PDB file of all heavy atoms in Angstrom:
ATOM      1  N   PHE O   1      -0.791  17.114  16.711  1.00  0.00           N
ATOM      2  CA  PHE O   1       0.298  16.491  17.448  1.00  0.00           C
ATOM      3  C   PHE O   1       1.229  17.580  17.968  1.00  0.00           C
ATOM      4  O   PHE O   1       1.538  18.533  17.246  1.00  0.00           O
ATOM      5  CB  PHE O   1       1.090  15.534  16.544  1.00  0.00           C
ATOM      6  CG  PHE O   1       0.282  14.386  16.022  1.00  0.00           C
ATOM      7  CD1 PHE O   1      -0.246  14.420  14.729  1.00  0.00           C
ATOM      8  CD2 PHE O   1       0.026  13.278  16.814  1.00  0.00           C
ATOM      9  CE1 PHE O   1      -0.994  13.372  14.249  1.00  0.00           C
ATOM     10  CE2 PHE O   1      -0.730  12.222  16.332  1.00  0.00           C
ATOM     11  CZ  PHE O   1      -1.243  12.272  15.048  1.00  0.00           C
ATOM     12  N   PRO O   2       1.692  17.420  19.207  1.00  0.00           N
ATOM     13  CA  PRO O   2       2.609  18.421  19.772  1.00  0.00           C
ATOM     14  C   PRO O   2       3.945  18.479  19.023  1.00  0.00           C
ATOM     15  O   PRO O   2       4.592  19.521  18.987  1.00  0.00           O
ATOM     16  CB  PRO O   2       2.839  17.968  21.206  1.00  0.00           C
ATOM     17  CG  PRO O   2       1.774  16.976  21.499  1.00  0.00           C
ATOM     18  CD  PRO O   2       1.308  16.427  20.192  1.00  0.00           C
ATOM     19  N   SER O   3       4.342  17.357  18.422  1.00  0.00           N
ATOM     20  CA  SER O   3       5.625  17.326  17.704  1.00  0.00           C
ATOM     21  C   SER O   3       5.590  16.250  16.626  1.00  0.00           C
ATOM     22  O   SER O   3       4.681  15.420  16.581  1.00  0.00           O
ATOM     23  CB  SER O   3       6.758  17.029  18.683  1.00  0.00           C
ATOM     24  OG  SER O   3       6.669  15.690  19.142  1.00  0.00           O
ATOM     25  N   VAL O   4       6.601  16.261  15.771  1.00  0.00           N
ATOM     26  CA  VAL O   4       6.731  15.243  14.735  1.00  0.00           C
ATOM     27  C   VAL O   4       6.888  13.863  15.382  1.00  0.00           C
ATOM     28  O   VAL O   4       6.312  12.874  14.906  1.00  0.00           O
ATOM     29  CB  VAL O   4       7.941  15.555  13.811  1.00  0.00           C
ATOM     30  CG1 VAL O   4       8.217  14.403  12.869  1.00  0.00           C
ATOM     31  CG2 VAL O   4       7.712  16.828  13.037  1.00  0.00           C
ATOM     32  N   ASN O   5       7.646  13.817  16.450  1.00  0.00           N
ATOM     33  CA  ASN O   5       7.856  12.537  17.126  1.00  0.00           C
ATOM     34  C   ASN O   5       6.548  11.957  17.656  1.00  0.00           C
ATOM     35  O   ASN O   5       6.315  10.746  17.574  1.00  0.00           O
ATOM     36  CB  ASN O   5       8.870  12.670  18.260  1.00  0.00           C
ATOM     37  CG  ASN O   5      10.286  12.742  17.741  1.00  0.00           C
ATOM     38  OD1 ASN O   5      10.570  12.304  16.626  1.00  0.00           O
ATOM     39  ND2 ASN O   5      11.178  13.321  18.530  1.00  0.00           N
ATOM     40  N   ASP O   6       5.679  12.797  18.197  1.00  0.00           N
ATOM     41  CA  ASP O   6       4.376  12.319  18.683  1.00  0.00           C
ATOM     42  C   ASP O   6       3.548  11.750  17.537  1.00  0.00           C
ATOM     43  O   ASP O   6       2.892  10.718  17.675  1.00  0.00           O
ATOM     44  CB  ASP O   6       3.605  13.451  19.378  1.00  0.00           C
ATOM     45  CG  ASP O   6       4.217  13.839  20.712  1.00  0.00           C
ATOM     46  OD1 ASP O   6       4.509  12.930  21.507  1.00  0.00           O
ATOM     47  OD2 ASP O   6       4.414  15.045  20.927  1.00  0.00           O
ATOM     48  N   ALA O   7       3.575  12.437  16.399  1.00  0.00           N
ATOM     49  CA  ALA O   7       2.852  11.945  15.222  1.00  0.00           C
ATOM     50  C   ALA O   7       3.435  10.610  14.772  1.00  0.00           C
ATOM     51  O   ALA O   7       2.702   9.660  14.452  1.00  0.00           O
ATOM     52  CB  ALA O   7       2.936  12.968  14.093  1.00  0.00           C
ATOM     53  N   LYS O   8       4.759  10.521  14.762  1.00  0.00           N
ATOM     54  CA  LYS O   8       5.432   9.292  14.338  1.00  0.00           C
ATOM     55  C   LYS O   8       5.077   8.139  15.275  1.00  0.00           C
ATOM     56  O   LYS O   8       4.753   7.038  14.822  1.00  0.00           O
ATOM     57  CB  LYS O   8       6.945   9.524  14.307  1.00  0.00           C
ATOM     58  CG  LYS O   8       7.714   8.370  13.742  1.00  0.00           C
ATOM     59  CD  LYS O   8       9.151   8.693  13.364  1.00  0.00           C
ATOM     60  CE  LYS O   8       9.939   9.329  14.472  1.00  0.00           C
ATOM     61  NZ  LYS O   8      11.374   9.468  14.155  1.00  0.00           N
ATOM     62  N   TYR O   9       5.105   8.377  16.579  1.00  0.00           N
ATOM     63  CA  TYR O   9       4.785   7.306  17.533  1.00  0.00           C
ATOM     64  C   TYR O   9       3.330   6.861  17.408  1.00  0.00           C
ATOM     65  O   TYR O   9       3.020   5.686  17.500  1.00  0.00           O
ATOM     66  CB  TYR O   9       5.098   7.741  18.966  1.00  0.00           C
ATOM     67  CG  TYR O   9       6.562   8.073  19.177  1.00  0.00           C
ATOM     68  CD1 TYR O   9       6.946   9.118  19.989  1.00  0.00           C
ATOM     69  CD2 TYR O   9       7.572   7.352  18.538  1.00  0.00           C
ATOM     70  CE1 TYR O   9       8.288   9.430  20.183  1.00  0.00           C
ATOM     71  CE2 TYR O   9       8.907   7.656  18.709  1.00  0.00           C
ATOM     72  CZ  TYR O   9       9.257   8.696  19.533  1.00  0.00           C
ATOM     73  OH  TYR O   9      10.577   9.007  19.709  1.00  0.00           O
ATOM     74  N   TRP O  10       2.434   7.814  17.171  1.00  0.00           N
ATOM     75  CA  TRP O  10       1.025   7.465  16.991  1.00  0.00           C
ATOM     76  C   TRP O  10       0.869   6.599  15.743  1.00  0.00           C
ATOM     77  O   TRP O  10       0.182   5.569  15.765  1.00  0.00           O
ATOM     78  CB  TRP O  10       0.175   8.736  16.865  1.00  0.00           C
ATOM     79  CG  TRP O  10      -1.292   8.445  16.744  1.00  0.00           C
ATOM     80  CD1 TRP O  10      -2.167   8.244  17.765  1.00  0.00           C
ATOM     81  CD2 TRP O  10      -2.040   8.293  15.530  1.00  0.00           C
ATOM     82  NE1 TRP O  10      -3.424   7.988  17.264  1.00  0.00           N
ATOM     83  CE2 TRP O  10      -3.372   8.001  15.899  1.00  0.00           C
ATOM     84  CE3 TRP O  10      -1.723   8.371  14.186  1.00  0.00           C
ATOM     85  CZ2 TRP O  10      -4.376   7.801  14.954  1.00  0.00           C
ATOM     86  CZ3 TRP O  10      -2.720   8.171  13.244  1.00  0.00           C
ATOM     87  CH2 TRP O  10      -4.029   7.888  13.638  1.00  0.00           C
ATOM     88  N   LEU O  11       1.504   6.989  14.662  1.00  0.00           N
ATOM     89  CA  LEU O  11       1.424   6.213  13.418  1.00  0.00           C
ATOM     90  C   LEU O  11       2.035   4.823  13.579  1.00  0.00           C
ATOM     91  O   LEU O  11       1.504   3.847  13.040  1.00  0.00           O
ATOM     92  CB  LEU O  11       2.107   6.965  12.276  1.00  0.00           C
ATOM     93  CG  LEU O  11       1.321   8.148  11.702  1.00  0.00           C
ATOM     94  CD1 LEU O  11       2.208   9.010  10.827  1.00  0.00           C
ATOM     95  CD2 LEU O  11       0.107   7.659  10.932  1.00  0.00           C
ATOM     96  N   ILE O  12       3.124   4.721  14.300  1.00  0.00           N
ATOM     97  CA  ILE O  12       3.741   3.408  14.536  1.00  0.00           C
ATOM     98  C   ILE O  12       2.753   2.488  15.251  1.00  0.00           C
ATOM     99  O   ILE O  12       2.572   1.329  14.868  1.00  0.00           O
ATOM    100  CB  ILE O  12       5.058   3.542  15.338  1.00  0.00           C
ATOM    101  CG1 ILE O  12       6.138   4.186  14.468  1.00  0.00           C
ATOM    102  CG2 ILE O  12       5.525   2.185  15.849  1.00  0.00           C
ATOM    103  CD1 ILE O  12       7.400   4.591  15.230  1.00  0.00           C
ATOM    104  N   ARG O  13       2.087   3.002  16.298  1.00  0.00           N
ATOM    105  CA  ARG O  13       1.098   2.189  17.029  1.00  0.00           C
ATOM    106  C   ARG O  13      -0.046   1.752  16.118  1.00  0.00           C
ATOM    107  O   ARG O  13      -0.452   0.593  16.111  1.00  0.00           O
ATOM    108  CB  ARG O  13       0.535   2.966  18.221  1.00  0.00           C
ATOM    109  CG  ARG O  13       1.322   2.823  19.489  1.00  0.00           C
ATOM    110  CD  ARG O  13       0.572   3.324  20.720  1.00  0.00           C
ATOM    111  NE  ARG O  13      -0.172   4.561  20.551  1.00  0.00           N
ATOM    112  CZ  ARG O  13       0.344   5.782  20.680  1.00  0.00           C
ATOM    113  NH1 ARG O  13       1.600   5.939  20.959  1.00  0.00           N
ATOM    114  NH2 ARG O  13      -0.420   6.840  20.531  1.00  0.00           N
ATOM    115  N   VAL O  14      -0.571   2.691  15.335  1.00  0.00           N
ATOM    116  CA  VAL O  14      -1.697   2.391  14.445  1.00  0.00           C
ATOM    117  C   VAL O  14      -1.292   1.363  13.394  1.00  0.00           C
ATOM    118  O   VAL O  14      -2.004   0.384  13.152  1.00  0.00           O
ATOM    119  CB  VAL O  14      -2.235   3.688  13.788  1.00  0.00           C
ATOM    120  CG1 VAL O  14      -3.229   3.364  12.695  1.00  0.00           C
ATOM    121  CG2 VAL O  14      -2.871   4.587  14.840  1.00  0.00           C
ATOM    122  N   VAL O  15      -0.135   1.547  12.781  1.00  0.00           N
ATOM    123  CA  VAL O  15       0.326   0.631  11.733  1.00  0.00           C
ATOM    124  C   VAL O  15       0.646  -0.743  12.326  1.00  0.00           C
ATOM    125  O   VAL O  15       0.331  -1.774  11.731  1.00  0.00           O
ATOM    126  CB  VAL O  15       1.542   1.218  10.983  1.00  0.00           C
ATOM    127  CG1 VAL O  15       2.233   0.174  10.137  1.00  0.00           C
ATOM    128  CG2 VAL O  15       1.100   2.387  10.120  1.00  0.00           C
ATOM    129  N   LYS O  16       1.262  -0.758  13.495  1.00  0.00           N
ATOM    130  CA  LYS O  16       1.579  -2.042  14.144  1.00  0.00           C
ATOM    131  C   LYS O  16       0.297  -2.829  14.413  1.00  0.00           C
ATOM    132  O   LYS O  16       0.193  -4.011  14.068  1.00  0.00           O
ATOM    133  CB  LYS O  16       2.338  -1.816  15.457  1.00  0.00           C
ATOM    134  CG  LYS O  16       2.635  -3.109  16.206  1.00  0.00           C
ATOM    135  CD  LYS O  16       3.136  -2.847  17.608  1.00  0.00           C
ATOM    136  CE  LYS O  16       2.076  -2.231  18.411  1.00  0.00           C
ATOM    137  NZ  LYS O  16       1.627  -2.697  19.620  1.00  0.00           N
ATOM    138  N   ASN O  17      -0.698  -2.176  14.992  1.00  0.00           N
ATOM    139  CA  ASN O  17      -1.968  -2.857  15.286  1.00  0.00           C
ATOM    140  C   ASN O  17      -2.684  -3.302  14.010  1.00  0.00           C
ATOM    141  O   ASN O  17      -3.192  -4.425  13.932  1.00  0.00           O
ATOM    142  CB  ASN O  17      -2.881  -1.958  16.120  1.00  0.00           C
ATOM    143  CG  ASN O  17      -2.355  -1.763  17.522  1.00  0.00           C
ATOM    144  OD1 ASN O  17      -1.598  -2.584  18.030  1.00  0.00           O
ATOM    145  ND2 ASN O  17      -2.727  -0.663  18.147  1.00  0.00           N
ATOM    146  N   ALA O  18      -2.708  -2.445  13.014  1.00  0.00           N
ATOM    147  CA  ALA O  18      -3.356  -2.799  11.743  1.00  0.00           C
ATOM    148  C   ALA O  18      -2.627  -3.972  11.086  1.00  0.00           C
ATOM    149  O   ALA O  18      -3.256  -4.868  10.522  1.00  0.00           O
ATOM    150  CB  ALA O  18      -3.389  -1.592  10.814  1.00  0.00           C
ATOM    151  N   SER O  19      -1.303  -3.968  11.160  1.00  0.00           N
ATOM    152  CA  SER O  19      -0.514  -5.052  10.561  1.00  0.00           C
ATOM    153  C   SER O  19      -0.762  -6.374  11.276  1.00  0.00           C
ATOM    154  O   SER O  19      -0.896  -7.423  10.639  1.00  0.00           O
ATOM    155  CB  SER O  19       0.975  -4.714  10.610  1.00  0.00           C
ATOM    156  OG  SER O  19       1.242  -3.547   9.881  1.00  0.00           O
ATOM    157  N   LEU O  20      -0.813  -6.341  12.591  1.00  0.00           N
ATOM    158  CA  LEU O  20      -1.091  -7.563  13.359  1.00  0.00           C
ATOM    159  C   LEU O  20      -2.478  -8.101  13.030  1.00  0.00           C
ATOM    160  O   LEU O  20      -2.657  -9.310  12.846  1.00  0.00           O
ATOM    161  CB  LEU O  20      -0.944  -7.305  14.856  1.00  0.00           C
ATOM    162  CG  LEU O  20       0.478  -7.049  15.351  1.00  0.00           C
ATOM    163  CD1 LEU O  20       0.471  -6.577  16.792  1.00  0.00           C
ATOM    164  CD2 LEU O  20       1.346  -8.285  15.188  1.00  0.00           C
ATOM    165  N   ASN O  21      -3.462  -7.205  12.939  1.00  0.00           N
ATOM    166  CA  ASN O  21      -4.818  -7.633  12.578  1.00  0.00           C
ATOM    167  C   ASN O  21      -4.843  -8.227  11.166  1.00  0.00           C
ATOM    168  O   ASN O  21      -5.504  -9.236  10.919  1.00  0.00           O
ATOM    169  CB  ASN O  21      -5.800  -6.465  12.669  1.00  0.00           C
ATOM    170  CG  ASN O  21      -6.068  -6.056  14.097  1.00  0.00           C
ATOM    171  OD1 ASN O  21      -5.861  -6.827  15.029  1.00  0.00           O
ATOM    172  ND2 ASN O  21      -6.507  -4.822  14.278  1.00  0.00           N
ATOM    173  N   TYR O  22      -4.133  -7.604  10.256  1.00  0.00           N
ATOM    174  CA  TYR O  22      -4.044  -8.095   8.877  1.00  0.00           C
ATOM    175  C   TYR O  22      -3.439  -9.498   8.852  1.00  0.00           C
ATOM    176  O   TYR O  22      -3.955 -10.403   8.189  1.00  0.00           O
ATOM    177  CB  TYR O  22      -3.209  -7.123   8.048  1.00  0.00           C
ATOM    178  CG  TYR O  22      -2.960  -7.565   6.623  1.00  0.00           C
ATOM    179  CD1 TYR O  22      -3.859  -7.238   5.617  1.00  0.00           C
ATOM    180  CD2 TYR O  22      -1.828  -8.301   6.286  1.00  0.00           C
ATOM    181  CE1 TYR O  22      -3.640  -7.629   4.304  1.00  0.00           C
ATOM    182  CE2 TYR O  22      -1.603  -8.706   4.979  1.00  0.00           C
ATOM    183  CZ  TYR O  22      -2.501  -8.370   3.994  1.00  0.00           C
ATOM    184  OH  TYR O  22      -2.283  -8.772   2.706  1.00  0.00           O
ATOM    185  N   ALA O  23      -2.348  -9.678   9.578  1.00  0.00           N
ATOM    186  CA  ALA O  23      -1.669 -10.981   9.613  1.00  0.00           C
ATOM    187  C   ALA O  23      -2.580 -12.057  10.211  1.00  0.00           C
ATOM    188  O   ALA O  23      -2.643 -13.184   9.702  1.00  0.00           O
ATOM    189  CB  ALA O  23      -0.369 -10.879  10.403  1.00  0.00           C
ATOM    190  N   LYS O  24      -3.301 -11.716  11.275  1.00  0.00           N
ATOM    191  CA  LYS O  24      -4.231 -12.680  11.880  1.00  0.00           C
ATOM    192  C   LYS O  24      -5.343 -13.046  10.905  1.00  0.00           C
ATOM    193  O   LYS O  24      -5.714 -14.208  10.777  1.00  0.00           O
ATOM    194  CB  LYS O  24      -4.856 -12.094  13.152  1.00  0.00           C
ATOM    195  CG  LYS O  24      -3.935 -12.057  14.332  1.00  0.00           C
ATOM    196  CD  LYS O  24      -4.647 -11.423  15.517  1.00  0.00           C
ATOM    197  CE  LYS O  24      -3.698 -11.111  16.634  1.00  0.00           C
ATOM    198  NZ  LYS O  24      -4.351 -10.361  17.716  1.00  0.00           N
ATOM    199  N   ARG O  25      -5.886 -12.033  10.218  1.00  0.00           N
ATOM    200  CA  ARG O  25      -6.963 -12.278   9.258  1.00  0.00           C
ATOM    201  C   ARG O  25      -6.479 -13.177   8.123  1.00  0.00           C
ATOM    202  O   ARG O  25      -7.163 -14.112   7.713  1.00  0.00           O
ATOM    203  CB  ARG O  25      -7.498 -10.947   8.713  1.00  0.00           C
ATOM    204  CG  ARG O  25      -8.713 -11.112   7.821  1.00  0.00           C
ATOM    205  CD  ARG O  25      -9.312  -9.781   7.374  1.00  0.00           C
ATOM    206  NE  ARG O  25      -8.412  -9.032   6.522  1.00  0.00           N
ATOM    207  CZ  ARG O  25      -7.808  -7.893   6.855  1.00  0.00           C
ATOM    208  NH1 ARG O  25      -8.018  -7.358   8.036  1.00  0.00           N
ATOM    209  NH2 ARG O  25      -6.997  -7.282   6.007  1.00  0.00           N
ATOM    210  N   LYS O  26      -5.271 -12.918   7.626  1.00  0.00           N
ATOM    211  CA  LYS O  26      -4.715 -13.742   6.551  1.00  0.00           C
ATOM    212  C   LYS O  26      -4.513 -15.185   7.018  1.00  0.00           C
ATOM    213  O   LYS O  26      -4.769 -16.131   6.271  1.00  0.00           O
ATOM    214  CB  LYS O  26      -3.389 -13.161   6.043  1.00  0.00           C
ATOM    215  CG  LYS O  26      -3.571 -11.963   5.163  1.00  0.00           C
ATOM    216  CD  LYS O  26      -4.320 -12.340   3.904  1.00  0.00           C
ATOM    217  CE  LYS O  26      -4.547 -11.185   2.998  1.00  0.00           C
ATOM    218  NZ  LYS O  26      -5.480 -11.450   1.935  1.00  0.00           N
ATOM    219  N   ALA O  27      -4.061 -15.357   8.257  1.00  0.00           N
ATOM    220  CA  ALA O  27      -3.864 -16.710   8.794  1.00  0.00           C
ATOM    221  C   ALA O  27      -5.207 -17.434   8.913  1.00  0.00           C
ATOM    222  O   ALA O  27      -5.319 -18.614   8.579  1.00  0.00           O
ATOM    223  CB  ALA O  27      -3.167 -16.648  10.145  1.00  0.00           C
ATOM    224  N   ARG O  28      -6.240 -16.725   9.382  1.00  0.00           N
ATOM    225  CA  ARG O  28      -7.585 -17.326   9.482  1.00  0.00           C
ATOM    226  C   ARG O  28      -8.106 -17.705   8.101  1.00  0.00           C
ATOM    227  O   ARG O  28      -8.677 -18.774   7.913  1.00  0.00           O
ATOM    228  CB  ARG O  28      -8.561 -16.361  10.154  1.00  0.00           C
ATOM    229  CG  ARG O  28      -8.521 -16.365  11.651  1.00  0.00           C
ATOM    230  CD  ARG O  28      -9.722 -15.641  12.244  1.00  0.00           C
ATOM    231  NE  ARG O  28      -9.923 -14.312  11.720  1.00  0.00           N
ATOM    232  CZ  ARG O  28      -9.422 -13.198  12.229  1.00  0.00           C
ATOM    233  NH1 ARG O  28      -8.649 -13.255  13.282  1.00  0.00           N
ATOM    234  NH2 ARG O  28      -9.672 -12.028  11.686  1.00  0.00           N
TER     235      ARG O  28
END
């Protein structure tokens, strides 16, 4: 990552998507 902020933004996207998938799976 070019900077800490880039790493943080990448992790936010990954965690957000994983969390949404988790929530959908739990609802199903």
